Amino acid sequence: MIGLYVPGSTLVHRAPALAKLGLLAVTIAVITVLQEPWQLAAAVGGVGVLFLAARIPPRMVWRHVVPILWLLAIAVPVQALFAGWTAALMMGGRVAASVALAALFTLTTTVSSVLDACQQLLRPFRRWVDGDRVGLLLALTIRCVPLTAEIVREVIEARRARGATGSLTALAVPVIVRSLQSAEALGEALVARGLDD
């Protein structure tokens, strides 16, 4: 479930997980406050350059970004009705860039590196905060973004194979059910490993 790491020796792969995590948070925060379309276009271009620098195969990039594009195909027109096309496209670009960055982090960072980074970050607070649990929570949260995108992609493909079209409910219900099933399976796996207290 968590094995999305793509081995590599690029600078993006070799960067410390704590530094990558900090840059991920800062970059997503900056992307969310961009006001001009040209600024967002530059940010999206920067994300593309990072994927090229990490030498992630285009097939992997496509697999992580396309499901979000399907969701944006619904969300952007709805946003356009309420706020106009410029605001809708800015929202769509922000979401796509943020998801792509989270996917890049997941693809270039091992889970053990994320856990080690969280332990290091929380070491001064170990009296009050369990760094192992926070690290695990963070790794699972970051992993769930592409996992949910994969679930959406599979549901869309299944609907297409059956010739189903249209209804948002027909898309949302299977996605929610499959997401809950994945969460339950993950919970059972954590309990089996003694992380239930």
Side-chain angles (χ1 to χ4, degrees), residues 44-121:
V44 170
V47 171
V49 168
L50 286 173
F51 271 98
L52 289 173
R55 295 190 185 125
I56 301 297
R59 176 181 42 83
M60 292 293 286
V61 176
W62 185 252
R63 235 177 81 202
H64 289 288
V65 176
V66 166
I68 295 304
L69 297 179
W70 283 105
L71 290 177
L72 292 177
I74 297 166
V76 168
V78 171
Q79 177 77 6
L81 288 174
F82 295 106
W85 280 105
T86 301
L89 292 173
M90 289 290 291
M91 180 271 304
R94 287 181 187 120
V95 170
S98 298
V99 168
L101 282 170
L104 180 66
F105 180 82
T106 302
L107 292 168
T108 61
T109 312
T110 62
V111 174
S112 60
S113 296
V114 174
L115 296 175
D116 291 344
C118 283
Q119 288 174 337
Q120 182 181 357
L121 183 66

Side-chain angles (χ1 to χ4, degrees), residues 162-185:
R162 290 190 307 268
T165 58
S167 172
L168 180 59
T169 305
L171 174 65
V173 171
V175 168
I176 291 169
V177 169
R178 297 239 354 245
S179 296
L180 291 173
Q181 289 171 339
S182 294
E184 184 176 9

